[in-house]
Amino acid sequence: MPMNDAATENIAIRMENISKAFGAVKANENVSFSARAGEIHALLGENGAGKSTLMNMLSGIYLPDGGSIYVWGEKTSFASPGEAIKRGIGMIHQHFKLVDALTARDNIIIGPGGGLFMNKKELTKKIRAISDRYGLDVNPDRKVYDMSVGEKQTLEIIKVLYRGARILIMDEPTAVLTPQEITRLFQVTRNMREQGCAIIIITHKLNEVMEISDRITVLRKGASVATVETAKTSVGPLIEMMVGKRMDLGIARPSFQGGRVILSLDNVTVAGGEKKSALDGVSFDLSEGEILGVAGVAGSGQKELCETIAGLAAADKGRIFFDGGNILGKSPRDIIKLGIRMGFIPEDRLGMGLVASMDIVHNLVLKDYQQQPGFVLRRRPCVEKAHKIVRRLEIQTPDVSTPVRKLSGGNIQKVLLGREMDSDPRVLITAYPVRGLDIGASYKIYDLLNEQKSKGVAIIFVGEDLDVLLALCDRILVLCGGKITGVVNARETTKEELGLMMTGARQAATGGATGAGEAEAAGREGRGVAGESRRRPS
Amino acid sequence: MSLLRVSKRAELPQGRVALIRTAAVLLSLAAAAAALAAFGLNPLDIYGAIVEGAFGTGMRARQTVIKAVPLIITSLGILVAFKMKFWNIGGEGQIMAGAFAAAYVALYHGDLPRPLLLPLMALAGMAMGGVWALIPGLFKAKLGTNETIFTLMMNYIAIKFVEYLQFGPWKDPEAGGFPKIAIFPENAVLPNILGVHAGWVVALAAVAAVHLFMNHTKKGFEISVVGESAETARYAGMNITGVIVAAMLASGGLCGLTGMIQASAIDKTLGVGLSANYGFTAIITAWLARLNAVALLFVCVAFAVLLQGSAYIQLAMKVPAAVAGVVQGIILFFVLGSEFFLQYKVSRKGRV
């Protein structure tokens, strides 16, 4: 039943009482949401609040179990993303859906909406027109594999605009961008708003919401909590709506007492694919009782850095000293046998750190069983330990014999962290330890890391949220294309400075010597960058 | 657009799972009954005859056990490999390889005393079956080859090799020109225990051994972890190649043991028909038992009942072999099909 009166005309999208369940999990329950033309509408909520599910129904990926969707006042249902794009709804996913081997132009024409034969010149003209109109910038002849993350995102935006989208959904668009790229993205978004588009941004980052949006809809546990005007609210009430209770979002940073160097990397180089090095001449020192943050655009060598130290990836060159002894080239098995106490929280928790189908006890056994004598696997010693960890970390689980895959993301991470902390590590490597966790669980993790720091554990914290890195760490090491572009004092640096180093546009002039204040350590810090003032074109 | 929608379901409570499985078995019997009725047969007679055929007399019950033994041991072998998510489709070949090695010992060292000869045959069979499974295992570990195709192909190599022996070098000159391998000497034949060849004791011991191995040893734990995620295994400092070697030696070794038992106790010689599809049937039984060694024992016995009962109705009721095949097929279809309904639910397309 089309409704064309003046009041609804401006409403681009209206979703009423939408429900969607995945098995027993009710991802959305009676969610109502609407977005107007010419507004930037933020969809705010913690991980698992149901934001992406709701938007996936709007873009035709999922079919709602119940509820109605109105587009420009007309009741609609989409069986596929193709039907959604025909109605002018385009989604820019967090993980880009581009063909690496093709040019920007080819990526734009493939898929629904593109004809079989296209006039290249005509198309280039059309792309230019869209680019100029919204202030987007992409070279149509550039291959996707040559593009930076920011360029790929720009291309995704052009792609949906080319297909005629007037309603754009962006899923966590800033997650992989540097601060400078975020500024540019926001400008483009504002341009689209001026042109009368409706833009929906899915995010959990409050400061960005406050900066860019006109209105905010908050989801919590699959239900819509409220829709508010950004100008009339502030961060505090938004957190309360997201979490359901008041929270103090300050991160504590116990002062660095100064400790001796426990881990030292010297010119570590790891080969990557396609002639490039995944890690290129990386050198730094890590002291006991220090949290060293690692920042960088995704895929800048963070994974290789962690895995090389942990003995999981082979290095081509260099040395890694753990308490004076070189451990480079040693496998995880060797490292365990040498009695080196090093904890590692990998990025892929269920794919690497834990066995998803096994219970908490067996996941504790995983790191323990090699020390057991004989052939027989003893479970009992770990049962007691499991109870202890569950109690200490307040893990929500029916039982220690519950498979870890049945736990929530935060509790899964706590099992992993609990196990690694239980081995009484001297070095703790954590890769994106709060990714996917809700705010409460994230703060619990920060507290636990600080507790370890106070005990004198040396911690490497690979993170993606610069605000967190700045608040939690003592020093921040920035990786760009496998090279260290700076090691800076987290108390003194800024997001902008980190952003420039992340893109390689700038390298820290000090070479990071401002670090933890340890004179001996400072002398060796940043060897990878000292004297390397060469600027790369950005 | 289809009218039905399939969506993943939440994990069901144990009771519901048991209910769905039982319902599947009952439904399959009802459906098979309908099929039998359509053939003009009385389903109750047929079902009665199957039970009668499997347990009716001491002899028939012994036949059922004889059919269960190779199925149990082979399924255990498949279980070990499947736990590692190594899709061993090569049970047939590993049975053959084991039978070949056992036959070699029996034919060339048949003069050894029985207490020495039989264990030697078993060891040779297990070693050869293990090697036969290890070859694709090593290729997978080192070169990342696809084990499904590889193990399948290894079947044909083993079977054709035995055929070559049968028609060529091992052809029995006293068989009057028939392409047969000589009958094993008396010493090389498994003795009977309680009326059935000793294989049933081996099978029960193997169930206990595999159960303990998979659940209470470090190696068994490592096999499960590698199956779940090789990355996790590496992270935990496991020697993955070592785990694959151990698992494949165990998997192929068990299949090889089946080969030895069948050659020694049933055929009393080596022949191409020896594996009798146990290597493939075992995939179904291992899967139906959800890779649990104890459940596997019951599944295999149920299967043997079906096999033996079907063989009986052909003779007793004068129905064609195809009828038994239809009953078997319908039961499998329902039981395996019920797994789908345990994982997914089907609903009418929602109104949007």
Side-chain angles (χ1 to χ4, degrees):
Chain A
M1 158 175 58
M3 294 190 286
N4 280 324
D5 50 290
T8 54
E9 209 170 340
N10 203 25
I11 308 255
I13 287 293
R14 197 150 59 85
M15 302 176 86
E16 277 183 358
N17 300 323
I18 299 286
S19 295
K20 176 79 188 172
F22 298 101
V25 182
K26 292 199 171 90
N28 280 163
E29 206 175 6
N30 286 325
V31 176
S32 294
F33 171 81
S34 74
R36 298 180 195 132
E39 83 163 344
I40 299 172
H41 197 126
L43 194 53
L44 183 68
E46 295 206 68
N47 288 289
K51 305 171 302 232
S52 293
T53 308
L54 186 69
M55 288 302 116
N56 278 334
M57 285 187 278
L58 191 53
S59 63
I61 293 171
Y62 298 146
L63 214 56
D65 295 339
S68 324
I69 300 174
Y70 300 88
V71 180
W72 303 113
E74 195 179 325
K75 189 168 176 176
T76 325
S77 99
F78 308 120
S80 71
E83 290 180 25
I85 191 85
K86 270 188 205 141
R87 297 301 313 266
I89 299 171
M91 185 152 173
I92 291 123
H93 292 271
Q94 205 172 351
H95 304 284
F96 304 136
K97 318 237 183 248
L98 297 168
V99 182
D100 269 352
L102 296 182
T103 61
R105 183 190 302 106
D106 291 341
N107 265 288
I108 290 168
I109 55 171
I110 53 170
L116 192 54
F117 300 103
M118 300 292 282
N119 182 332
K120 194 168 156 184
K121 244 190 217 151
E122 187 83 355
L123 192 64
T124 308
K125 237 165 82 189
K126 240 178 135 178
I127 295 171
R128 286 259 176 271
I130 292 171
S131 306
D132 291 346
R133 195 162 153 201
Y134 298 104
L136 294 154
D137 182 24
V138 78
N139 174 359
D141 292 308
R142 202 176 166 92
K143 294 267 209 290
V144 170
Y145 58 71
D146 282 332
M147 293 184 174
S148 71
V149 180
E151 281 174 291
K152 286 182 194 173
Q153 190 180 55
T154 307
L155 175 56
E156 283 278 14
I157 296 173
I158 294 178
K159 202 170 88 180
V160 296
L161 289 172
Y162 174 82
R163 292 181 188 165
R166 303 280 296 155
I167 300 163
L168 281 95
I169 307 160
M170 299 195 219
D171 190 358
E172 303 274 358
T174 62
V176 288
L177 302 183
T178 62
Q180 285 77 10
E181 285 172 318
I182 292 173
T183 309
R184 222 170 300 143
L185 172 73
F186 283 177
Q187 194 48 52
V188 168
T189 316
R190 289 192 188 100
N191 293 345
M192 292 193 284
R193 174 177 62 189
E194 304 318 317
Q195 302 277 341
C197 294
I199 298 121
I200 303 164
I201 295 183
I202 304 176
T203 184
H204 61 264
K205 291 186 184 164
L206 287 155
N207 47 3
E208 290 176 1
V209 169
M210 294 306 293
E211 187 186 336
I212 187 76
S213 70
D214 301 310
R215 285 198 300 160
I216 304 164
T217 295
V218 183
L219 295 189
R220 185 172 75 230
K221 292 179 180 155
S224 38
V225 179
T227 298
V228 292
E229 297 203 10
T230 311
K232 292 184 185 159
T233 187
S234 62
V235 170
L238 286 175
I239 294 168
E240 216 176 312
M241 282 188 264
M242 272 169 83
V243 185
K245 62 178 182 207
R246 270 170 194 279
M247 277 198 75
D248 172 21
L249 287 196
I251 299 174
R253 174 162 45 198
S255 62
F256 172 62
Q257 305 296 334
R260 59 194 196 91
V261 172
I262 173 87
L263 186 77
S264 174
L265 271 70
D266 177 24
N267 198 26
V268 173
T269 298
V270 175
E274 298 148 28
K275 290 173 287 185
K276 280 186 273 182
S277 292
L279 277 185
D280 192 354
V282 167
S283 305
F284 66 87
D285 289 332
L286 179 69
S287 305
E288 290 180 329
E290 167 186 41
I291 299 184
L292 174 68
V294 175
V297 176
S300 297
Q302 295 96 325
K303 185 175 156 73
E304 288 79 6
L305 178 68
C306 296
E307 295 192 356
T308 307
I309 299 172
L312 285 158
D316 300 311
K317 269 206 314 234
R319 289 175 298 175
I320 298 175
F321 295 102
F322 185 101
D323 207 11
N326 187 7
I327 58 165
L328 192 112
K330 301 250 187 293
S331 70
R333 195 187 186 85
D334 299 333
I335 291 173
I336 292 169
K337 284 201 172 141
L338 283 170
I340 288 174
R341 298 201 310 273
M342 183 155 62
F344 178 29
I345 314 286
E347 192 178 336
D348 187 357
R349 289 161 213 159
L350 289 180
M352 182 181 259
L354 297 168
V355 187
S357 68
M358 292 186 182
D359 63 12
I360 296 175
V361 178
H362 269 140
N363 272 294
L364 294 179
V365 172
L366 196 63
K367 270 287 176 83
D368 190 75
Y369 83 99
Q370 302 223 14
Q371 268 87 8
Q372 295 183 2
F375 300 105
V376 177
L377 185 75
R378 282 169 197 82
R379 206 179 126 91
R380 200 160 307 141
C382 285
V383 175
E384 191 47 47
K385 208 193 284 180
H387 282 294
K388 199 182 80 193
I389 290 174
V390 166
R391 264 197 312 275
R392 210 167 78 85
L393 271 62
E394 295 158 15
I395 297 171
Q396 305 294 320
T397 174
D399 201 340
V400 292
S401 54
T402 306
V404 292
R405 79 181 136 81
K406 290 194 177 174
L407 306 184
S408 72
N411 286 308
I412 288 172
Q413 187 66 305
K414 282 186 199 167
V415 172
L416 184 49
L417 195 59
R419 183 186 69 200
E420 295 304 299
M421 290 188 328
D422 185 73
S423 62
D424 206 3
R426 298 181 66 192
V427 172
L428 185 58
I429 305 162
T430 61
Y432 309 105
V434 298
R435 181 184 281 171
L437 304 195
D438 61 32
I439 296 177
S442 300
Y443 277 76
K444 178 81 187 170
I445 302 288
Y446 302 143
D447 288 345
L448 288 167
L449 291 178
N450 276 328
E451 184 190 307
Q452 292 292 303
K453 172 186 174 178
S454 305
K455 279 170 64 182
V457 178
I459 297 168
I460 294 178
F461 180 94
V462 180
E464 45 201 345
D465 190 333
L466 294 182
D467 291 317
V468 171
L469 283 167
L470 287 169
L472 179 72
C473 302
D474 296 301
R475 289 183 302 156
I476 298 174
L477 179 157
V478 184
L479 283 173
C480 172
K483 283 195 169 79
I484 295 182
T485 47
V487 183
V488 291
N489 186 336
R491 291 171 181 83
E492 290 164 8
T493 191
T494 61
K495 264 210 269 193
E496 286 64 35
E497 194 185 3
L498 290 174
L500 289 171
M501 290 190 289
M502 279 162 74
T503 51
R506 193 171 129 194
Q507 309 210 329
T510 53
T514 52
E518 175 89 21
E520 185 205 350
R524 296 178 65 185
E525 267 162 25
R527 194 181 301 153
V529 288
E532 248 191 69
S533 55
R534 175 172 64 91
R535 276 180 180 233
R536 280 196 236 165
S538 61
Chain B
M1 273 203 295
S2 65
L3 289 167
L4 293 177
R5 233 152 39 89
V6 175
S7 50
K8 192 123 173 92
R9 63 155 93 241
E11 276 180 60
L12 290 167
Q14 288 287 306
R16 276 294 292 278
V17 172
L19 191 75
I20 290 183
R21 294 222 168 102
T22 316
V25 173
L26 294 177
L27 271 175
S28 70
L29 292 177
L36 292 171
F39 290 137
L41 299 162
N42 180 346
L44 289 180
D45 286 353
I46 298 283
Y47 290 156
I50 288 179
V51 176
E52 174 74 18
F55 301 111
T57 65
M59 214 274 279
R60 291 182 203 147
R62 282 197 289 278
Q63 280 304 315
T64 305
V65 174
I66 282 171
K67 287 206 163 60
V69 166
L71 204 49
I72 291 167
I73 301 175
T74 312
S75 303
L76 289 170
I78 299 297
L79 178 151
V80 175
F82 277 21
K83 264 282 184 194
M84 201 172 64
K85 298 225 167 72
F86 185 103
W87 309 119
N88 180 9
I89 314 296
E92 290 282 296
Q94 289 143 27
I95 292 172
M96 275 300 182
F100 155 73
Y104 174 84
V105 175
L107 295 172
Y108 290 89
H109 303 282
D111 46 354
L112 289 169
R114 184 186 267 191
L116 191 62
L117 182 63
L118 284 174
L120 208 58
M121 284 167 66
L123 276 177
M126 290 173 74
M128 196 66 206
V131 167
W132 213 247
L134 184 60
I135 295 167
L138 283 178
F139 270 84
K140 176 163 175 137
K142 295 293 178 198
L143 301 171
T145 55
N146 180 312
E147 75 273 17
T148 318
I149 297 292
F150 207 135
T151 50
L152 186 70
M153 292 309 181
M154 294 290 284
N155 286 343
Y156 301 110
I157 298 175
I159 292 166
K160 289 296 161 188
F161 177 66
V162 168
E163 196 172 324
Y164 158 74
L165 291 177
Q166 198 176 329
F167 283 83
W170 282 14
K171 187 168 158 185
D172 185 4
E174 288 157 36
F178 283 105
K180 279 168 72 177
I181 295 171
I183 297 292
F184 290 175
E186 194 55 34
N187 273 355
V189 176
L190 276 177
N192 279 2
I193 298 176
L194 302 177
V196 184
H197 70 74
W200 67 271
V201 181
V202 178
L204 288 180
V207 168
V210 168
H211 179 77
L212 291 175
F213 176 66
M214 291 311 298
N215 296 308
H216 298 285
T217 69
K218 288 184 185 177
K219 256 309 171 257
F221 177 68
E222 288 181 332
I223 290 171
S224 299
V225 173
V226 170
E228 186 80 26
S229 161
E231 283 293 287
T232 306
R234 236 158 49 84
Y235 167 87
M238 293 177 185
N239 172 1
I240 295 182
T241 306
V243 174
I244 292 180
V245 167
M248 293 324 290
L249 282 176
S251 175
L254 284 160
C255 294
L257 182 61
T258 303
M260 176 268 171
I261 290 172
Q262 295 303 94
S264 164
I266 307 298
D267 292 13
K268 302 187 174 58
T269 180
L270 179 65
V272 284
L274 178 135
S275 57
N277 269 337
Y278 286 121
F280 293 127
T281 313
I283 295 169
I284 301 170
T285 45
W287 212 235
L288 280 177
R290 312 233 102 197
L291 307 186
N292 175 324
V294 179
L296 182 144
L297 175 64
F298 294 97
V299 172
C300 287
V301 169
F303 238 78
V305 167
L306 206 56
L307 287 176
Q308 173 61 20
S310 320
Y312 173 77
I313 57 170
Q314 286 175 45
L315 296 170
M317 318 261 314
K318 303 274 188 309
V319 297
V323 169
V326 167
V327 174
Q328 269 182 39
I330 290 175
I331 291 175
L332 273 184
F333 180 81
F334 275 79
V335 174
L336 292 172
S338 75
E339 299 298 314
F340 173 83
F341 291 97
L342 293 174
Q343 307 262 356
Y344 298 95
K345 69 176 173 203
V346 179
S347 50
R348 290 273 304 281
K349 200 152 195 168
R351 297 150 287 114
V352 181

